[in-house]
Amino acid sequence: MEFSVRASLEQFTLVHPAGGAPITISVAAPAVPPDANVPILFVVDGDLVFGMAAEIARAMSSVGAVPAHYVVGIGYDADYAAFLKLRTADLTPPLAAAAREAMGAFGTMIGSERNGGADGFLAFLVDMVMPELAARHPRTVGGAHILFGHSLGGLFAANALLTRPASFSAYVISSPSLWWDGFSILQKLPAFAGRLAALPRQPRIFVDVGGKEQDVPTHVPPELGATLEAVQAQILACRMVDAAVEFADALAAAGASGLRRVVFAEDDHMSVVPAALLHGARFALGREG
């Protein structure tokens, strides 16, 4: 079998749904082009995660470990400080004032004063990005659509699943920031059960977290502007590992059947990303039960 070992990259921009700076859409085509119904892996936080996701997909599909698929990154083409604030505005459900105040220096760093754009951003993906990709890449029409999100992106993927589960064929919910707004996203679980039951076909759901994400740090970077004690208290309050496990169990109790929950024992909040991309995509594409 012959295929290109070079990465394929296309980029274009779309108008931001809230009128901000244009959104950069990055597209990596599969190394071995199939004929039709090609799946798409949509990756929010594309500025950080797209390159990693595209290379994993290219390597794995080239040896037949996963079906060939497109990887699409949704990003901002911004520097890191701006990126942190832009993603907060777009990926989060609304945040109550008291919860925002409690975030302190961390909230300032990520721009928590601008929040609540998750529903509008999901509509942007479904109503603008997906049709644009179908027009540019007709072979994807009819293929599975998979959403990957990590951290606040994981919160976004969880919110999309709970509110509009038919939007994607599969959801990879990695290290979700369920703590946002005092875990208020969990209030959407009862309505989710009814939405799920009404679907002709359930989405596949992969929930993961790094096993070390609740380990308290012994030091904090000075640029964070917070005390060690404050950071330790916040990490304990976020309950990243426990909350992710409980969330997956709650999805199963709501009737989710195609569900896998994984705790990557040796990983922390950032090192878990490549493992989540690899195993989450394999599960979403039907190659890992």
Side-chain angles (χ1 to χ4, degrees):
M1 178 183 297
E2 294 184 359
F3 59 89
S4 174
V5 296
R6 295 188 299 273
S8 169
L9 176 63
E10 170 194 355
Q11 286 189 314
F12 58 91
T13 60
L14 292 174
V15 175
H16 192 286
I23 299 293
T24 299
I25 310 298
S26 302
V27 183
V32 183
D35 293 329
N37 302 324
V38 188
I40 304 175
L41 175 66
F42 292 86
V43 178
V44 295
D45 288 332
D47 302 83
L48 272 182
V49 181
F50 168 74
M52 188 188 312
E55 288 303 300
I56 289 173
R58 188 166 63 92
M60 295 297 288
S61 64
S62 69
V63 295
V66 295
H69 59 284
Y70 283 82
V71 177
V72 173
I74 317 297
Y76 305 101
D77 195 20
D79 63 42
Y80 187 67
F83 160 77
L84 288 178
K85 294 176 172 60
L86 290 166
R87 71 190 292 264
T88 299
D90 286 335
L91 300 180
T92 61
L95 178 66
R100 179 163 62 87
E101 181 69 21
M103 292 172 68
F106 177 71
T108 301
M109 181 179 71
I110 67 170
S112 60
E113 69 279 1
R114 291 185 59 207
N115 60 78
D119 290 345
F121 205 64
L122 175 59
F124 166 73
L125 294 185
V126 173
D127 299 333
M128 293 187 65
V129 178
M130 289 182 182
E132 182 67 22
L133 288 168
R136 290 171 177 262
H137 301 279
R139 290 182 302 167
T140 64
V141 175
H145 287 178
I146 302 158
L147 177 62
F148 175 90
H150 174 260
S151 194
L152 285 183
L155 174 69
F156 175 78
N159 187 71
L161 170 67
L162 295 179
T163 58
R164 295 181 60 180
S167 299
F168 292 87
S169 310
Y171 295 81
V172 181
I173 301 170
S174 180
S175 301
S177 298
L178 301 169
W179 52 264
W180 182 263
D181 195 43
F183 294 89
S184 65
I185 191 171
L186 302 181
Q187 298 170 14
K188 300 178 181 181
L189 279 163
F192 168 69
R195 294 187 178 107
L196 193 65
L199 295 179
R201 182 176 182 180
Q202 287 196 13
R204 292 173 70 82
I205 305 166
F206 185 93
V207 179
D208 75 86
V209 67
K212 296 185 176 182
E213 294 195 43
Q214 275 178 211
D215 293 0
V216 293
T218 56
H219 69 280
V220 296
E223 59 267 21
L224 187 59
T227 65
L228 175 62
E229 292 75 14
V231 173
Q232 289 175 334
Q234 187 166 29
I235 286 176
L236 291 174
C238 289
R239 304 179 63 250
M240 291 295 295
V241 180
D242 295 340
V245 170
E246 292 165 8
F247 180 65
D249 291 346
L251 293 176
S257 56
L259 172 68
R260 187 175 182 204
R261 183 194 77 193
V262 180
V263 178
F264 292 104
E266 297 302 316
D267 285 300
D268 58 31
H269 191 63
M270 290 309 299
S271 69
V272 77
V273 177
L277 283 165
L278 172 60
H279 295 285
R282 289 177 66 183
F283 176 80
L285 291 163
R287 290 293 177 89
E288 196 171 277

